[in-house]
Every structure is written in structure tokens, then in C-alpha cells.
Amino acid sequence: MILCSMEAKRVTIAILNWNSREMLARCIESVQQQSYPAIELWVLDNASTDGSESLVRDLFPDLPLQVFSENLGFASAHNWAIRHTDSAYYMPLNPDVILMPDFVSEMVKAVEQHDRFGSAMGKLLFMTEDGQPTDLLYSTGQLITRSRAPANRGYKKQDRGQYEELEPVFAANGAAPLYSRVMLEDVRLEDEYYCEDYFIYGEDRDLGWRGQLCGWHCLYTPHAVAYHVGFGSGGIHSFDVQYQFTRNRYLTLIRNDRPLDFLVDLPFVVAFELIWQLSRLVISPRRLPAHWLAFPGILWAAPRALRVRKQIQARRRVPHSQIRSMFVSRL
């Protein structure tokens, strides 16, 4: 489906679905209700088995639908879509997200404020699985911490208007970001925009970090509001999710981090690991085996990550001090 205007730059929105049938229709409808006049909407399906394909064909017969024969994961599926479209902007969208009507308009407005804004991040709040909005924040942008733990700014805090300013953030959360085509092409490695070594989780942080190294900035706009269930296609306690979280966290560091910065912050990294593992031992011990088994997975993937690192660092356009200035001192 394409809603076009001659003046507005086209935005491709690709909803990537995997067994999220119960949430998919309202996500699609929220895109169709956008005020922005130039949207190309696709649905990508990662071999769902819950009837998602038939739902889209029955309720939205004119909507482009790409059904993959197997679950490609997040990165590979979105890379396929980026390569098969040519719009000025690309927005990957999770199916458990509902966009407010001006979301896309405000995101485009944010990116177009400066030619080095390569991505935008809106205000994401939690909603219940039956679509009821809450006032709890999910993300107002990703932080980079000295402990190297992934962190969403404002996560699970009540929205009291504390994030009402347009301001740069380190990276956009992958649930509903907006990327400029120019930035995506600039940071592309061979034919990959998102790194396909990541099956799911962490690829948004890696892409944002590569963008920062190349001089691209991400702008948070509080005027673009959306609601997100979170873990709509998988549980936070599942083995695969926990494995991917840990493995991909360290792969991102191998690919992008400065070794000297990592060594300086090693006390923060070790403290986080100890605190996290001790707390899981008490609260949720079944998450620990996946966390521990991720470390052999990191060693297995490290040689390729180190080879790719050379390409990433060869493209760096900003001084190390600029990236270092974005680190926040928190675990």
C-alpha cells in the first residue's frame, strides 16, 4: 500500500511479524491512520504458524505481504526489505506497536532538522497486550553506559513530562525507529545494513553505534508518540532471548568499542555482570544458563566480528573523544 504526495519524501514502513496475529491488525491500522502523506507499507512475515498470513490476506488484501519460508530473524528480514525498496526513509516496526496519528510526520520532521541526523527516536510507552495504553515509559532513546549494559532511557519510569525536549540520543530503539536512506547506505557493510550475525536483539544498538562512528546523529522527539507491548513475539525469560541478549551485547563491543575505553571501564562491566548474575540467581535462576552459554557463542563469533571491526573502524570520521563523551556513568 502506498499513500503518496509529490512534496513529501516517501517513508517505507515494514512491519516484521512472527506469530503476533493478535496484535498485528491494530498495528497495521495505526499505520494506515497516519497523517503523513507518503507512506509505503509492507508486512514481512517470518514463517508464522499462528494464521498471521491469512489474517493479512483477509483483512488487508491490497497490502504487500512478503512471507519468508523460514524465520530469518530481525536483521536479515529487514535487510531484505531495505534492499527491495528505494524510499528516502525506512522504518522497521514491531507488530506489538501502535503509532499515534502524527508519529511518522514528527519523526520525519525531526530527521530533517539537520543533514547529519540519520535517525530519529520517538517516545515509546508501554501498553497492555489488549491494547490499553499506560503512562510507563518503554524508551526515549538508547543510552551507552560505562558498564556496556543496553539501556533504554526512561525505561519503566512514569511519564511525568521529564522527556519533553528534542535532544540527541546515542541510538534509536528498534521497535519503531526512523532511518534515512543516506545514512543506511553510508554505514552499509557489503550488502548488510543490520548485521546479520544478530538473529534478534542488539542489532539496533550496533547500527546506531556505527552511525555515530561515521558522524551520524540520532534525534529524540517527544512529539512522536507510540505504545509498545514489549516482547510481543517472544518472552523475556526464554532461553533464546537471554542467549541473544548476552551474545549480541558483547559482539557489539567487539565490533564498535575502543579497547582502551573498555579497559578503563572494566570495573563497571565486571560490577554489572556480578550484580546481574547474583540478582538473577535470586529472582530468576532459569535465565542464567542461557547467559553463561552465550560466552562460548561469543568466542565462536569473535573472529568474524574482529574482521568486520577493521572495516567499521576504517570508516570512522569522528574522534574517539566524541564517542566517549556520550557514555553515561551507570550500571
Side-chain angles (χ1 to χ4, degrees), residues 253-318:
L253 302 183
I254 293 170
R255 288 162 55 88
N256 300 284
D257 207 354
R258 186 188 182 197
L260 179 59
D261 289 336
F262 183 82
L263 288 174
V264 169
D265 292 335
L266 192 58
F268 286 84
V269 178
V270 173
F272 170 80
E273 283 290 350
L274 290 175
I275 292 170
W276 190 91
Q277 294 197 41
L278 287 172
S279 67
R280 292 315 98 182
L281 191 61
V282 174
I283 299 169
S284 183
R286 63 177 177 160
R287 294 169 67 176
L288 286 174
H291 185 77
W292 294 331
L293 288 172
F295 287 96
I298 295 163
L299 293 175
W300 181 263
R304 170 172 155 77
L306 287 168
R307 289 195 298 271
V308 174
R309 173 187 172 79
K310 293 181 180 179
Q311 300 177 50
I312 294 172
Q313 298 303 318
R315 298 182 179 190
R316 181 175 59 83
R317 301 192 187 104
V318 301

Side-chain angles (χ1 to χ4, degrees), residues 43-172:
V43 175
L44 314 175
D45 189 89
N46 261 334
S48 294
T49 57
D50 66 345
S52 294
E53 178 183 352
S54 60
L55 177 141
V56 174
R57 296 195 189 282
D58 291 344
L59 297 183
F60 309 98
D62 298 326
L63 196 62
L65 172 63
Q66 173 63 36
V67 179
F68 300 111
S69 59
E70 60 181 326
N71 188 347
L72 301 181
F74 184 97
S76 294
H78 278 299
N79 282 344
W80 181 94
I82 297 170
R83 288 193 293 263
H84 284 79
T85 56
D86 61 358
S87 53
Y89 298 106
Y90 183 81
M91 179 183 288
L93 183 61
N94 285 7
D96 59 335
V97 173
I98 293 179
L99 308 177
M100 293 298 96
D102 292 332
F103 186 86
V104 176
S105 294
E106 293 293 342
M107 294 281 271
V108 172
K109 187 186 301 183
V111 171
E112 293 189 343
Q113 290 196 24
H114 193 282
D115 61 5
R116 296 308 294 179
F117 287 153
S119 57
M121 172 74 205
K123 180 191 286 187
L124 296 184
L125 297 109
F126 278 102
M127 70 175 173
T128 62
E129 290 192 11
D130 60 356
Q132 297 302 310
T134 75
D135 63 352
L136 288 180
L137 292 163
Y138 181 83
S139 180
T140 60
Q142 291 192 339
L143 301 172
I144 181 168
T145 65
R146 295 187 69 181
S147 69
R148 305 308 193 270
N152 282 299
R153 198 176 63 142
Y155 184 68
K156 288 190 175 180
K157 294 180 180 178
Q158 189 173 13
D159 182 18
R160 300 181 182 274
Q162 66 271 50
Y163 298 107
E164 292 303 306
E165 299 294 328
L166 284 160
E167 54 188 321
V169 292
F170 184 72

Side-chain angles (χ1 to χ4, degrees), residues 154-196:
Y155 184 68
K156 288 190 175 180
K157 294 180 180 178
Q158 189 173 13
D159 182 18
R160 300 181 182 274
Q162 66 271 50
Y163 298 107
E164 292 303 306
E165 299 294 328
L166 284 160
E167 54 188 321
V169 292
F170 184 72
N173 180 278
L178 182 76
Y179 298 108
S180 77
R181 176 76 57 171
V182 176
M183 188 205 84
L184 288 173
E185 293 299 335
D186 188 40
V187 302
R188 175 171 57 91
L189 296 171
E190 297 179 354
D191 64 342
E192 294 184 8
Y193 303 91
Y194 286 111
C195 172
E196 295 185 10

